[in-house]
Amino acid sequence: MAATMLKERTRAPSVKADPRALLPLNTIIPGDCVEAMRTLPSASVDLIFADPPYNLQLGGDLSRPDGSHVDAVTDHWDQFDSFAIYDKFTREWLTEARRVLKPNGALWVIGSYHNIFRVGAMMQDMGFWILNDVVWRKANPMPNFKGTRFTNAHETLIWASMGEKAKYTFNYRLMKTLNDELQMRSDWVLPICSGQERLKKGGTKVHPTQKPEALLYRVMLATTNKGDVVLDPFFGTGTTGAVAKRLGRDWIGCERESSYREAALERIELALPLDESALTTMQSHRPAPKVAFGTLIETGWIQAGTTLTDKKRRMSATVRADGSLLSGAESGSIHGLGAKLQDAPACNGWTFWHIEHEGELKPIDAIRKLYLLATED
């Protein structure tokens, strides 16, 4: 079953064959990421999302003011004896990443101040063209317990194409729809992975740096299309694979830690793909409230495919992956579709549309308020 997704590959396939036909789609390749990527054919992958070791250089355990231990990253895979060794490792995996990407493919790398500047410089030296640096501002960051620095409340993502003139995928209209008709900016406010999404075993985190699905949701929705192949060289517990499955993308993971592979396979097996109507995307024309409706979908407060109704259940619509709604042949934003179905000049979709929540029919504005309460500082 799930275990069959895991395959051993020991030699690179012939470049004469169709590259996609030779890819181990929807599987995890065990072992070192560089060796694993060397088994893949050249120019075969549409997108790479890389969450490499940050080389945090923590220099000891962290404690809260009350003396309790902080569950930080102390795993051996994040430890390098020198910057030179870390740089050599980075060049090696970036070299393979560049080889397996299609000419119109793209690379995302996430990191912190410990490593992202070194990685970015190497990417430019190797010919990648930086399209954006995106700041993921954490809605609920871990505080600085010692009070010796600013609270580290963000991580940085670099999005790059294969070269200055290279083509790449960017679903601009889709991102605008997701953000309630405002251009999507390069600062993304999303909560860290917590609650039921955080994988635990015996009360302990399975992976110390598990990324939230909302982050990968936005990356894939913005820069891939249905059926594209997404490679994650540092697969961990499978956030990339779970989101790719939901969005109708194929995925490949590389992961050397067996405990992470097992957790990832179990997680992806349970992930439910969105149906066709939810994956269909469009653009509407309405201004944005302080919290975009798409944010509730990205963060899992409202699931794509959910049915919304008016208060008296006379009208209904299906939530789609980009934050738009579908009702019969009509589609639009929560505001635009509500107005269209009522033949009205305007509609406040937050109060018009209702959702079943905890056995009651509630306006979606109630869910927005719950989200704000859960993510407030």
Side-chain angles (χ1 to χ4, degrees):
M1 200 175 174
T4 62
M5 300 165 66
L6 191 61
K7 297 180 179 179
E8 294 279 359
R9 296 175 63 84
T10 56
R11 63 185 181 88
S14 169
V15 296
K16 295 181 180 179
D18 175 19
R20 185 183 176 92
L22 295 170
L23 288 173
L25 297 178
N26 307 315
T27 67
I28 305 174
I29 307 173
D32 172 76
C33 70
V34 175
E35 293 302 320
M37 283 193 285
R38 285 173 180 163
T39 69
L40 302 176
S42 300
S44 60
V45 170
D46 298 287
L47 187 81
I48 293 177
F49 181 87
D51 183 11
Y54 289 6
N55 192 24
L56 292 179
Q57 313 127 41
L58 292 179
D61 291 337
L62 295 178
S63 299
R64 297 180 177 87
D66 64 3
S68 60
H69 178 70
V70 177
D71 188 13
V73 183
T74 56
D75 302 80
H76 64 90
W77 50 257
D78 190 62
Q79 297 169 356
F80 294 81
D81 291 335
S82 67
F83 285 127
I85 294 174
Y86 184 79
D87 291 349
K88 178 177 182 293
F89 165 73
T90 301
R91 279 191 293 270
E92 288 178 347
W93 76 255
L94 280 174
T95 297
E96 285 306 307
R98 188 166 179 82
R99 181 185 65 80
V100 301
L101 275 170
K102 295 178 181 178
N104 60 347
L107 169 66
W108 284 85
V109 183
I110 185 170
S112 68
Y113 67 87
H114 302 88
N115 71 324
I116 197 65
F117 304 110
R118 309 182 76 86
V119 176
M122 283 185 232
M123 289 171 63
Q124 290 179 311
D125 290 343
M126 296 172 68
F128 287 103
W129 189 258
I130 295 178
L131 300 167
N132 276 115
D133 65 323
V134 173
V135 173
W136 166 32
R137 187 159 67 87
K138 301 173 183 179
N140 49 344
M142 181 184 295
N144 184 277
F145 294 107
K146 293 184 178 180
T148 56
R149 304 183 187 182
F150 297 110
T151 296
N152 186 27
H154 77 277
E155 293 183 28
T156 301
L157 298 94
I158 296 176
W159 173 38
S161 65
M162 291 289 280
E164 182 178 3
K165 305 297 184 182
K167 295 182 178 180
Y168 56 91
T169 296
F170 179 53
N171 298 316
Y172 168 80
R173 290 187 175 184
L174 196 156
M175 286 293 99
K176 196 172 181 182
T177 300
L178 190 69
N179 200 38
D180 279 357
E181 292 316 305
L182 287 180
Q183 286 189 344
M184 184 71 77
R185 294 164 33 136
S186 62
D187 54 335
W188 298 353
V189 182
L190 297 168
I192 62 174
C193 185
S194 60
Q196 291 185 343
E197 185 183 345
R198 168 67 74 174
L199 299 185
K200 292 186 177 181
K201 188 172 183 179
T204 303
K205 296 177 183 177
V206 175
H207 195 292
T209 64
Q210 181 183 335
K211 295 301 182 289
E213 291 192 7
L215 185 69
L216 273 296
Y217 190 104
R218 189 173 294 186
V219 165
M220 285 189 217
L221 213 56
T223 57
T224 64
N225 296 308
K226 185 181 178 184
D228 280 355
V229 178
V230 181
L231 169 66
D232 187 335
F234 308 94
F235 201 61
T237 52
T239 302
T240 298
V243 175
K245 182 178 176 181
R246 286 176 58 203
L247 292 177
R249 279 66 167 162
D250 288 309
W251 57 270
I252 301 169
C254 307
E255 180 52 57
R256 70 183 190 183
E257 304 292 334
S258 60
S259 61
Y260 295 165
R261 294 197 302 266
E262 292 171 6
L265 291 173
E266 183 177 349
R267 175 186 186 183
I268 296 168
E269 187 75 16
L270 296 174
L272 297 176
L274 303 182
D275 62 26
E276 290 294 327
S277 63
L279 285 173
T280 303
T281 55
M282 48 72 68
Q283 180 177 2
S284 58
H285 301 279
R286 297 297 297 180
K290 291 183 179 179
V291 175
F293 182 63
T295 299
L296 301 183
I297 301 169
E298 286 181 311
T299 53
W301 286 83
I302 296 177
Q303 299 287 335
T306 298
T307 298
L308 304 182
T309 70
D310 67 304
K311 187 175 182 179
K312 296 184 178 179
R313 302 181 188 269
R314 294 172 299 183
M315 303 173 191
S316 64
T318 301
V319 177
R320 300 197 289 188
D322 64 351
S324 62
L325 303 183
L326 177 69
S327 179
E330 301 289 345
S331 60
S333 69
I334 58 172
H335 314 292
L337 184 61
K340 189 180 298 183
L341 294 179
Q342 297 177 90
D343 196 22
C347 171
N348 182 347
W350 291 106
T351 56
F352 174 76
W353 292 109
H354 287 61
I355 186 173
E356 288 284 349
H357 180 72
E358 297 180 344
E360 297 179 41
L361 191 64
K362 299 179 181 179
I364 57 175
D365 190 52
I367 309 303
R368 176 172 62 165
K369 290 175 180 176
L370 288 174
Y371 169 82
L372 288 170
L373 286 172
T375 56
E376 66 181 4
D377 294 336

